[in-house]
Amino acid sequence: MAAGGPAAGDDGDDRGDLRAALSGLTTRGRSFLAAGVAAAVCAYVLGQADLLRVGLLLAALPLVCVVVLIRTRYRVAGTRRLSPSRVPAGTEARVHLRMENVSRLPTGLLMLQDRVPYVLGPRPRFVLDRVESGGRREVSYRVRSDLRGRYPLGPLQLRLSDPFGMCELTRSFSAYDTLVVIPRTEPLPPVRLAGEASGYGEGRQRSLALAGDDDVIPRGYRHGDDLRRVHWRSTARYGELMVRREEQPQRARCTVLLDTRRIAYQGSGPDSAFEWAVSGAASTLVHMLERGFAVRLLTDDGNAVPGEGEGGFAGSTQESADSAGLMMDTLAVVDHSDGGGLSRAYDVLRGGNEGLLIAFFGDLDEEQAAVAARMRQRSGGAVAFVLGSSAWVYDDAPPTGADAAFERRLRMLRESGWTAVAVTPGTGLTPYWQQAAGHPGVTTPSAAVGGATGDTTGFSGGWS
């Protein structure tokens, strides 16, 4: 990036820059110009030649500063670096600015200003006294946001000023960067959730580790195969040349379902039920990825992230790392959907065995509770964290029958095989996570847990 004066000889640009420079006269410059004009008028009326010379000097000084400033051939390169570029909500990030004078002349007084959204804090300003030819200056500032989202930083602006402070010109760079504020996450304890289907989880991973990645599953020889992989016993059995093939171990699957329906949540702000659900989904995604699961994020409108690979799940370890960033970026900007049901998410889940299903539901009516109950049939295990509006909205006693209706929806989920946990405000995900696993001695206010039916093979997880 570079900022500087216009090229000499371009009359159109010179006239445009001259108008811009005149509009950039400071209060001091305008005062000098007005005083000079007034003195010249008085000298003409009174016939005072000395006063006329003083008036011409006062008026000419800011005009000369304007001409000198627009003819200044500064070439300044600027770069911006974020450390880090993705931060959790409530965490500070540092922005490093580097200015380099790539012209042959030293610069004068420079004011450096970076544009930042209001939610990140005040607009940072720095004053650079003099930068020699080939010299560089580095400054930094901090930004912080309690609200998740994507925030543009820039463009960077330089304000040029003459030595007398008569005129100021602003030059803007074109490049900008983006700071991604992701939801807060919390480390989840190593617990074993009940209800996971056999063939998934830690037991399945151990069996694959014992067998190894290179299993003895022969296939027919193809041109170009390494002869060292010929499996002679199978060759003798089938009467044709057979080679060993590599079998990639299957990864345990987990789908994290986030209910974003606008009608399912009440209130707004960092402490609202919706933000709790988003933060809980982010914590679960990070936890399951660290345990080696192939994870995807699914919303109520049927959109799955990362959306590539078989069934939308991440594949290799490298893909999981990239998918983790993609899912966190998605949660950084996720907002309420205008849909009123969970049918689209159910259509995605009905395609086959989805492994473990962990859902974060808002307020459910009878119809949506029935749809959620049918989701359990398509998963190896299912855990639901339900945020009812009666607990999150009403400070006093909720309307008559609200708690009873909420309990009926929870019972409907439990009877269909879900492990259902009622979430109340003021508590993080960790105690509910332990309670969903039936951890002894863990209690949370107004929370209810039901055991899932069927296979009880579980998994263990934790943070590294």
Side-chain angles (χ1 to χ4, degrees), residues 129-149:
D129 188 11
R130 181 180 181 275
V131 183
E132 64 279 4
S133 177
R136 64 188 61 174
R137 299 291 187 271
E138 294 187 2
V139 293
S140 64
Y141 64 93
R142 294 176 295 180
V143 291
R144 178 181 181 273
S145 174
D146 292 328
L147 302 176
R148 55 185 177 82

Side-chain angles (χ1 to χ4, degrees), residues 411-453:
R411 185 165 56 252
M412 182 183 300
L413 293 178
R414 297 190 209 112
E415 290 174 352
S416 63
W418 284 87
T419 298
V421 179
V423 177
T424 56
T427 308
L429 177 61
T430 299
Y432 297 112
W433 186 265
Q434 293 175 315
Q435 191 178 6
H439 196 281
V442 177
T443 58
T444 53
S446 303
V449 180
T453 60

Side-chain angles (χ1 to χ4, degrees), residues 10 15 26 41 102 113 122 190 212 301 321 369 387 398 443 445:
D10 193 337
R15 288 193 296 268
T26 63
V41 172
V102 296
Q113 177 177 276
D301 54 9
L387 292 75
T443 58

Side-chain angles (χ1 to χ4, degrees), residues 36-62:
V37 172
V41 172
C42 292
Y44 176 77
V45 173
L46 300 175
Q48 298 291 329
D50 293 338
L51 182 59
L52 178 61
R53 286 192 288 269
V54 172
L56 292 177
L57 177 62
L58 292 176
L61 182 58

Side-chain angles (χ1 to χ4, degrees), residues 22-341:
L22 289 174
S23 64
L25 284 172
T26 63
T27 303
R28 180 184 300 177
R30 295 176 187 274
S31 300
F32 268 69
L33 185 59
V37 172
V41 172
C42 292
Y44 176 77
V45 173
L46 300 175
Q48 298 291 329
D50 293 338
L51 182 59
L52 178 61
R53 286 192 288 269
V54 172
L56 292 177
L57 177 62
L58 292 176
L61 182 58
L63 298 179
V64 171
C65 291
V66 167
V67 174
V68 172
L69 192 60
I70 64 176
R71 290 293 181 178
T72 301
R73 304 288 297 184
Y74 292 155
R75 290 183 57 84
V76 182
T79 58
R80 181 190 301 102
R81 178 172 57 87
L82 303 181
S83 177
S85 60
R86 184 188 291 117
V87 295
T91 304
E92 290 185 345
R94 184 169 289 274
V95 183
H96 301 269
L97 302 177
R98 179 177 177 179
M99 306 301 300
E100 183 176 0
N101 183 12
V102 296
S103 63
R104 297 181 180 180
L105 299 176
T107 68
L109 185 67
L110 300 178
M111 177 178 287
L112 187 64
Q113 177 177 276
D114 205 9
R115 288 187 176 182
V116 300
Y118 176 77
V119 70
L120 296 182
R123 181 171 296 182
R125 295 181 175 90
F126 306 93
V127 177
L128 306 181
D129 188 11
R130 181 180 181 275
V131 183
E132 64 279 4
S133 177
R136 64 188 61 174
R137 299 291 187 271
E138 294 187 2
V139 293
S140 64
Y141 64 93
R142 294 176 295 180
V143 291
R144 178 181 181 273
S145 174
D146 292 328
L147 302 176
R148 55 185 177 82
R150 294 173 60 89
Y151 302 102
L153 301 179
L156 193 63
Q157 292 181 334
L158 276 180
R159 182 174 296 178
L160 312 178
S161 177
D162 66 279
F164 299 102
M166 298 289 181
C167 181
E168 291 182 349
L169 289 181
T170 301
R171 293 288 186 264
S172 296
F173 297 97
S174 58
Y176 68 93
D177 295 280
T178 301
L179 175 68
V180 181
V181 181
I182 62 177
R184 294 185 181 93
T185 59
E186 57 180 295
L188 300 179
V191 298
R192 182 179 297 272
L193 298 182
E196 189 178 2
S198 59
Y200 292 85
E202 187 182 60
R204 175 60 176 162
Q205 292 173 344
R206 281 200 301 264
S207 64
L208 289 171
L210 293 175
D213 292 350
D214 196 12
D215 203 357
V216 183
I217 301 179
R219 61 168 174 81
Y221 177 82
R222 300 172 186 170
H223 179 71
D225 286 337
D226 191 350
L227 293 178
R228 290 175 297 181
R229 301 191 65 82
V230 173
H231 192 251
W232 299 109
R233 182 179 301 176
S234 298
T235 299
R237 178 180 178 182
Y238 292 103
E240 59 178 325
L241 200 59
M242 306 291 290
V243 296
R244 300 188 303 273
R245 65 179 179 182
E246 296 180 355
E247 180 188 16
Q248 298 298 328
Q250 297 180 359
R251 301 184 68 195
R253 290 182 171 186
C254 176
T255 297
V256 178
L257 173 60
L258 176 62
D259 181 10
T260 64
R261 295 173 299 131
R262 187 180 302 274
I263 63 175
Y265 300 94
Q266 303 292 331
S268 60
D271 297 328
S272 64
F274 181 68
E275 293 300 325
W276 193 100
V278 173
S279 178
S283 301
T284 303
L285 289 170
V286 173
H287 178 76
M288 301 306 292
L289 283 171
E290 290 187 352
R291 298 311 305 166
F293 280 71
V295 183
R296 71 173 175 182
L297 171 66
L298 180 64
T299 57
D300 58 286
D301 54 9
N303 293 328
V305 181
E308 297 179 357
E310 183 182 357
F313 294 88
S316 63
T317 304
Q318 180 60 37
E319 289 178 351
S320 296
D322 297 338
S323 299
L326 181 59
M327 287 185 286
M328 297 304 286
D329 289 346
T330 302
L331 290 177
V333 297
V334 69
D335 201 357
H336 291 291
S337 67
D338 295 329

